[in-house]
Amino acid sequence: MKGWGWLALLLGALLGTAWARRSQDLHCGACRALVDELEWEIAQVDPKKTIQMGSFRINPDGSQSVVEVPYARSEAHLTELLEEVCDRMKEYGEQIDPSTHRKNYVRVVGRNGESNELDLQGIRIDSDISGTLKFACESIVEEYEDELIEFFSREADNVKDKLCSKRTDLCDHALHISHDEL
């Protein structure tokens, strides 16, 4: 009976480790997909489009403290994007990296609504995957909304690295490399 206890403990530890890795793959993949979607949406906005920010109250001297800022990276636009971006997770499928056996999430529907021209072999596409990915995305948006707005309000390089790996710790370094090599 004593041997069974150790076996149960070992099995529990192995299952716990596998679950934690799956959860990290999911949250890392959701973060990286979220960054891709936000970067694409921001790039679609006319760079000349601006929005007035500041106080609309009139100062004692008759002036207003209003400035025009580019709309694409304004807090108003980013907040609007964050409200709807996770719906796009239904356009992603799950792929197992053959060398690391880690899950990657890839866009399977083109931006124009048509199927991507990529080879879909080995990519699992179903409502369970997209639902789970959407839920993970929504959790990230809820937990890290301030960081997302901070990062996207100014142009930055390597947002996926800085946000998903360094700032939020949702991706570990090994997983980060496997996503970039796809």
Side-chain angles (χ1 to χ4, degrees), residues 40 44 88 91 107-117:
W40 188 83
Q44 301 312 299
R88 293 200 191 80
E91 299 169 355
R107 184 172 247 291
V108 294
V109 178
R111 302 278 183 196
N112 57 5
E114 298 173 6
S115 291
N116 266 347
E117 296 299 319

Side-chain angles (χ1 to χ4, degrees), residues 47-152:
K48 295 177 191 147
K49 187 174 181 177
T50 59
I51 186 172
Q52 290 186 339
M53 301 290 290
S55 173
F56 289 94
R57 292 180 27 201
I58 296 178
N59 296 328
D61 65 358
S63 65
Q64 284 183 306
S65 303
V66 176
V67 294
E68 288 205 2
V69 297
Y71 176 72
R73 294 187 180 276
S74 68
E75 186 172 346
H77 183 235
L78 293 173
T79 301
E80 183 181 306
L81 290 177
L82 289 174
E83 289 175 7
E84 60 193 39
V85 70
C86 294
D87 291 337
R88 293 200 191 80
M89 297 301 120
K90 69 179 179 278
E91 299 169 355
Y92 283 77
E94 181 182 87
Q95 182 179 48
I96 305 293
D97 184 305
S99 61
T100 64
H101 304 289
R102 306 282 303 254
K103 293 178 181 179
N104 297 311
Y105 296 90
V106 294
R107 184 172 247 291
V108 294
V109 178
R111 302 278 183 196
N112 57 5
E114 298 173 6
S115 291
N116 266 347
E117 296 299 319
L118 61 95
D119 178 15
L120 296 178
Q121 186 151 351
I123 298 176
R124 232 178 91 205
I125 306 166
D126 66 40
S127 60
D128 286 344
I129 291 169
S130 60
T132 305
L133 194 60
K134 180 181 178 190
F135 181 76
C137 176
E138 289 167 343
S139 299
I140 292 167
V141 168
E142 186 177 323
E143 187 171 345
Y144 298 106
E145 182 175 4
D146 293 340
E147 287 86 348
L148 289 162
I149 290 173
E150 176 190 333
F151 269 87
F152 285 101

